[in-house]
Amino acid sequence: MRVLVVTAVPVERDAVTRASGGSPEVLRVPGAEIHRTGPLDVLAGGAGPAAASAATAFALAACSGAYGLVVSAGIGGGFAPAAPVGSLVVADAIVAADLGAETPDGFVPVTGLGFGRDRFEPPPALVREAASVTGAVTGPVLTLSTVTGSAARTAALLAAHPTAVAEAMEGFGVAEAAAGLGLPALEIRAVSNTVGPRDRAAWRIGDALTALTGAFGKLIPVLEGWTPHDRDH
């Protein structure tokens, strides 16, 4: 079973492929450039849920039947104190936190409007094993089209999702594309900054990318050994 890993940008893709050592094989398929290393096919699909979903769908279509699992990976913001800078998170729920409607009574998720879905749940056994080998925190990871930059927005997100551990911009898009072909999705993030007022000087992107490489070094045997029948256990 091969695993498709989707990141937002090339530096995240390269952090993942470094975990295997050596130079990846580059495969060019319609709509995507895939870097193959070990059991992983890694692509930088672009920032945001729409770009990530489109890139994932192109890769899955171009390599039909090749994959048993899709992983959204990269860096992200961590909610304090659950996920401090430098830590790793594995999503036990991939949540579209801003997909819905504003009403006089507040935000209503798309499911509350009576259509669509706003979350995917990765295979529980895989979440547990991935978190165990990497030392990651588990919890919901929120997908947002706009990065949080204020204390008020942080408070609103935590009020709606009190157990959330991180936010990023691509997980739900990747999971949506995977679900279209009946494939499970996993999301793992290395925390580069704390969710809250925007302070670029406090971000630790380099450290987070290093942590992402280390995480995949430990994850590869897990991903190689995982089989789809484990998804509901």
Side-chain angles (χ1 to χ4, degrees):
M1 181 193 73
R2 298 202 63 76
V3 177
L4 178 65
V5 182
V6 184
T7 70
V9 295
V11 291
E12 293 170 318
R13 176 199 64 206
D14 296 344
V16 173
T17 60
R18 276 196 296 272
S20 291
S23 298
E25 176 188 2
V26 178
L27 309 175
R28 290 179 173 83
V29 299
E33 180 181 284
I34 294 171
H35 288 213
R36 175 166 289 180
T37 176
L40 308 181
D41 284 2
V42 191
L43 71 92
S53 188
T56 303
F58 271 120
L60 292 174
C63 304
S64 179
Y67 303 112
L69 176 69
V70 183
V71 180
S72 176
I75 63 175
F79 287 99
V85 173
S87 65
L88 296 164
V89 300
V90 174
D92 62 14
I94 301 170
V95 182
D98 57 3
L99 182 61
E102 290 289 345
T103 77
D105 297 319
F107 178 77
V108 178
V110 67
T111 51
L113 302 175
F115 57 88
R117 63 186 301 172
D118 65 354
R119 70 173 50 214
F120 292 93
E121 293 185 358
L126 182 58
V127 170
R128 291 192 297 270
E129 193 168 0
S132 176
V133 300
T134 61
V137 174
T138 62
V141 174
L142 310 184
T143 297
L144 297 162
S145 294
T146 302
V147 174
T148 301
S150 70
R153 179 60 171 153
T154 303
L157 288 172
L158 286 174
H161 309 280
T163 60
V165 293
E167 70 167 30
M169 301 180 74
E170 294 80 32
F172 189 83
V174 171
E176 189 80 84
L181 290 178
L183 295 174
L186 182 71
E187 182 169 10
I188 182 166
R189 297 282 167 180
V191 176
S192 59
N193 59 281
T194 299
V195 178
R198 191 171 175 82
D199 179 10
R200 285 296 300 268
W203 290 15
R204 298 292 180 265
I205 293 175
D207 292 343
L209 292 170
T210 298
L212 189 65
T213 300
F216 269 87
K218 298 170 183 175
L219 270 176
I220 287 173
V222 172
L223 299 177
E224 283 183 309
W226 183 79
T227 55
H229 76 266
D230 293 328
R231 69 178 62 185
D232 297 321
H233 303 289

